[in-house]
Amino acid sequence: MRKRLCYFYNILASYPVIVLLLAGLVGLFYLARQHYPLEMQRQAKNLQRMELKQELQALQRKLTSIEQNDLRMRYMLFNEEFLKIDDAESEALKSHFTQAFEVHGWILQTAEVAELEIPTEQGRTSDSNQARIQGIMLDLSASATNSPQVDGAPFLPLYSLAQCLNYLWSRPPLKEYQQIEIIRTQDGYKLQVRLFLPLKDSDLGDSNELSLNRL
């Protein structure tokens, strides 16, 4: 065993082996130097990617702030055309929509109100001109029979519904349709409509005065 170790050490101590080891080290350093620019480029691209990501996040925060400011400003400017809080009751809203639906062949059955509030970040400040956007979701259900009209014309559910919604869209208060669904039944049609109606904020002043103050 000792002789084998001595023989192995003699091989390692020979000049050819030492030359080969040195050549291998030189080759490794040479290859490392070849990949060094690529590594620097990769690090530079990673740094640039991080900077772009930070800029994107900053722009997204700025865009969100602009959207909130624009939304709040629109709420303040159109506040006079929104639904009054005292009128945001199921029976009052049902009577408001009933006639329009009946004229176009639909019988309004139920009107259910769900309160909804959309707070904005700046709406929580102490500034009296800052608004919290308040509104309600109104679920309407109506039905219609498949019988002909008074003048003998056939009942067209999509056409009559479009006429009804266009009429309601043009009448105050301002509203937005969230969902419209028509279901065919054995004797006619069933309609489900969901609307969003923003509520008037009585704490805000006149919309023209507010717009001049903002400008």
Side-chain angles (χ1 to χ4, degrees):
M1 185 66 183
R2 186 176 299 175
K3 291 181 179 181
R4 292 180 179 179
L5 290 176
C6 292
Y7 180 73
F8 180 70
Y9 289 148
N10 289 331
I11 294 176
L12 291 178
S14 62
Y15 289 105
V17 175
I18 294 175
V19 171
L20 290 176
L21 291 175
L22 292 175
L25 290 175
V26 172
L28 290 176
F29 280 114
Y30 177 77
L31 293 176
R33 293 294 298 177
Q34 293 294 324
H35 291 284
Y36 181 75
L38 297 177
E39 182 66 20
M40 294 298 296
Q41 291 179 3
R42 188 178 66 84
Q43 293 181 1
K45 289 183 178 180
N46 289 335
L47 181 60
Q48 184 180 11
R49 184 181 302 174
M50 292 179 60
E51 292 177 351
L52 292 176
K53 186 176 181 179
Q54 292 176 355
E55 293 180 1
L56 178 61
Q57 291 176 353
L59 290 176
Q60 288 178 345
R61 290 193 296 267
K62 184 177 180 180
L63 178 61
T64 301
S65 178
I66 293 175
E67 290 176 347
Q68 290 179 349
N69 291 335
D70 180 72
L71 183 61
R72 187 179 64 256
M73 179 61 68
R74 290 176 181 273
Y75 179 73
M76 296 168 65
L77 292 177
F78 293 96
N79 182 58
E80 296 296 329
E81 302 180 26
F82 292 157
L83 179 67
K84 296 181 179 179
I85 299 178
D86 297 337
D87 297 335
E89 298 180 358
S90 300
E91 294 300 326
L93 292 174
K94 184 178 180 181
S95 62
H96 177 77
F97 289 100
T98 296
Q99 184 176 1
F101 276 89
E102 288 181 351
V103 169
H104 294 87
W106 295 90
I107 300 175
L108 189 62
Q109 296 175 337
T110 60
E112 300 180 357
V113 175
E115 295 183 0
L116 179 66
E117 179 178 336
I118 307 176
T120 59
E121 293 180 359
Q122 298 184 5
R124 299 179 181 275
T125 62
S126 58
D127 188 357
S128 60
N129 288 332
Q130 303 296 341
R132 287 186 307 169
I133 302 175
Q134 297 178 343
I136 61 170
M137 282 293 185
L138 178 64
D139 292 329
L140 301 175
S141 62
S143 62
T145 59
N146 207 10
S147 57
Q149 302 296 310
V150 178
D151 56 356
F155 178 71
L156 304 176
L158 294 179
Y159 176 78
S160 64
L161 178 61
Q163 294 296 318
C164 179
L165 296 182
N166 287 334
Y167 172 77
L168 293 175
W169 183 270
S170 63
R171 305 293 296 175
L174 293 181
K175 60 187 72 67
E176 177 182 348
Y177 294 100
Q178 299 287 324
Q179 180 182 359
I180 301 174
E181 181 180 3
I182 297 180
I183 303 174
R184 184 160 189 170
T185 60
Q186 294 181 354
D187 56 348
Y189 302 92
K190 183 179 180 181
L191 175 65
Q192 297 287 340
V193 180
R194 169 168 288 187
L195 301 91
F196 170 71
L197 292 91
L199 294 177
K200 180 178 180 181
D201 191 346
S202 58
D203 295 334
L204 293 177
D206 183 70
S207 59
N208 295 327
E209 181 180 355
L210 288 173
S211 60
L212 293 175
N213 291 336
R214 285 295 177 181
L215 296 176

